[in-house]
């Protein structure tokens, strides 16, 4: 199977203002919706842009291709999970081990089940893996 050049998986630019952050969030949401309703094989940047209500040119300002979009979506998801678990850890200072464990497990499970139809460890990764890419987002420079 082929592996992707890590440069082709990087977003072109990161959103800096609230409006561009909202645009990227809409693109992520549209990507999930297209994957859930039409599947990976029918996922295209045109379909995602249409579903997000943006032009395909706007999508390409942020993501050079659908592979980069999928990897960025996974990275966003994993960062969200990590943020929730880290927050739970900070809130647990001074608690006993049972309390800490329960809080961390609850935070992790809550983050993983926010979107019930996407349940399962590595859902976005499995989607991108089907495209023939094997690198994890965290390993991309």
């Amino acid at each position: 199977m082929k592996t992707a050049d890590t440069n082709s998986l990087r977003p072109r630019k990161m959103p800096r203002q609230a409006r561009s952050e909202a645009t990227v969030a809409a693109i992520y949401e549209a990507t999930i919706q297209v994957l859930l309703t039409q599947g990976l094989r029918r996922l295209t940047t045109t379909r995602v842009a249409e579903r997000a209500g943006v032009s395909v040119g706007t999508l390409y300002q942020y993501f050079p291709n659908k592979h980069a979009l999928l990897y960025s979506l996974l990275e966003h998801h994993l960062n969200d999970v990590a943020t929730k678990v880290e927050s739970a850890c900070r809130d647990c200072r001074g608690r006993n081990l049972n309390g800490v464990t329960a809080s961390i497990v609850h935070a992790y499970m809550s983050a993983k089940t926010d979107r019930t139809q996407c349940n399962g460890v590595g859902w976005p990764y499995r989607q991108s893996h089907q495209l023939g890419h094997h690198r994890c987002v965290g390993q991309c420079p």
Side-chain angles (χ1 to χ4, degrees):
M1 292 189 168
K2 64 183 179 177
T3 58
D5 172 26
T6 57
N7 288 330
S8 70
L9 298 177
R10 291 185 189 159
R12 286 194 167 138
K13 69 178 186 178
M14 300 304 293
R16 302 217 185 272
Q17 298 178 343
R19 187 175 61 191
S20 58
E21 287 175 357
T23 298
V24 170
I27 291 169
Y28 286 153
E29 178 62 26
T31 303
I32 292 169
Q33 290 176 9
V34 170
L35 283 169
L36 290 173
T37 60
Q38 299 183 25
L40 178 63
R41 298 287 178 216
R42 295 190 42 87
L43 177 77
T44 65
T45 53
T46 302
R47 282 190 178 99
V48 170
E50 182 179 288
R51 182 73 180 160
V54 300
S55 72
V56 74
T58 297
L59 186 146
Y60 283 131
Q61 285 180 11
Y62 296 99
F63 308 103
N65 53 54
K66 73 178 179 181
H67 308 296
L69 175 56
L70 285 169
Y71 274 95
S72 184
L73 177 61
L74 173 62
E75 184 174 44
H76 175 75
H77 170 71
L78 293 175
N79 285 338
D80 184 52
V81 171
T83 297
K84 289 176 179 175
V85 169
E86 288 170 357
S87 176
C89 288
R90 279 191 302 277
D91 294 344
C92 287
R93 290 210 170 111
R95 293 177 64 191
N96 65 30
L97 183 58
N98 288 340
V100 170
T101 303
S103 292
I104 291 172
V105 168
H106 176 75
Y108 177 80
M109 294 305 295
S110 176
K112 293 299 288 179
T113 58
D114 276 350
R115 187 169 201 117
T116 57
Q117 67 269 50
C118 299
N119 273 350
V121 176
W123 173 78
Y125 177 76
R126 284 195 308 274
Q127 295 293 316
S128 63
H129 184 73
Q130 290 176 12
L131 293 171
H133 303 290
H134 304 286
R135 295 180 189 264
C136 180
V137 170
Q139 295 173 340
C140 296

